[in-house]
Amino acid sequence: MVLVQLVYVSRPSRPLVSSDLMAILGTARERNANDGVTGMLCYSGDFFLQILEGERARVCATFQRISRDERHRDVYLLCYLYPERRLFSEWGMGYVGLGDIPRELVLRHSEDGAMRPILTDPHIAMAFLADIANHVSETQTALL
Ligand code: FAD
């Protein structure tokens, strides 16, 4: 199996309520379980940051479906890597609201706490996601 990690950013097409997020995560978790895809969806109200991990063809097919989804727009690929192992092997699709993440975790990657460096620099995005992986495994918060 060729393992890949794909990270993209996007903006919601309209303000989303928790039932919208539940619908997205319900579909994501069902499809990803069948496809052996894992990852994490981060949502701030203004943007999504999502990492998909798994077999290359499955991850690419998943990203193609996600890219077509009208619930978000301005979908930009941020990084595409061939890692040795998954960051989120326990999560068919975990979820974190960025408001729930300790501010010091964001400040590690952005001097003023703004999300822009994380959303535009692939190295910073991956370091941030690695910290999120540690945070959720310590606190088990990614359950929505
Ligand atoms: P269909 O189910 O045929 O849907 C076609 C279109 O209808 C969708 O593109 C969407 O625009 C719309 N739609 C579908 N369901 C709803 C709904 N409940 N409310 C409003 N509009 C709807 N899918 C995964 O498999 N894995 C993921 O990790 C994943 N993450 C996602 C992250 C985000 C931010 C978003 C917005 C969607 C995500 N999805 C994910 C869902 C994905 O976009 C597809 O809807 C899903 O994979 C089913 O694909 P499909 O081609 O069968 O679409």
Side-chain angles (χ1 to χ4, degrees):
M1 173 176 114
V2 179
L3 179 67
V4 300
Q5 281 173 326
L6 184 157
V7 181
Y8 75 85
V9 293
S10 66
R11 304 176 70 81
S13 306
R14 56 179 171 80
L16 299 179
V17 295
S18 70
S19 58
D20 296 317
L21 289 168
M22 293 304 294
I24 289 170
L25 287 167
T27 307
R29 286 168 179 160
E30 191 181 329
R31 298 287 296 247
N32 294 355
N34 285 335
D35 290 342
V37 171
T38 56
M40 180 63 60
L41 178 66
C42 309
Y43 177 60
S44 75
D46 293 329
F47 60 84
F48 292 105
L49 171 71
Q50 187 176 26
I51 179 168
L52 302 167
E53 310 177 304
E55 195 275 321
R56 179 169 52 183
R58 304 282 186 167
V59 166
C60 290
T62 303
F63 181 56
Q64 284 169 18
R65 290 198 310 275
I66 292 172
S67 303
R68 287 194 294 266
D69 197 311
E70 292 175 359
R71 288 170 284 187
H72 63 166
R73 61 189 170 85
D74 302 338
V75 180
Y76 294 120
L77 182 62
L78 190 54
C79 39
Y80 185 78
L81 301 169
Y82 289 79
E84 285 184 11
R85 63 186 71 85
R86 298 176 193 234
L87 270 180
F88 294 98
S89 54
E90 292 170 38
W91 303 97
M93 187 46 62
Y95 172 83
V96 285
L98 287 170
D100 301 331
I101 292 175
R103 187 164 166 75
E104 60 265 25
L105 194 153
V106 176
L107 286 170
R108 267 184 230 160
H109 306 283
S110 166
E111 272 180 20
D112 59 1
M115 288 302 294
R116 186 174 169 73
I118 296 165
L119 300 177
T120 53
D121 183 315
H123 302 289
I124 297 177
M126 285 310 297
F128 177 71
L129 286 163
D131 276 354
I132 296 267
N134 287 333
H135 176 70
V136 297
S137 84
E138 279 163 15
T139 60
Q140 296 290 308
T141 49
L143 288 172
L144 186 83

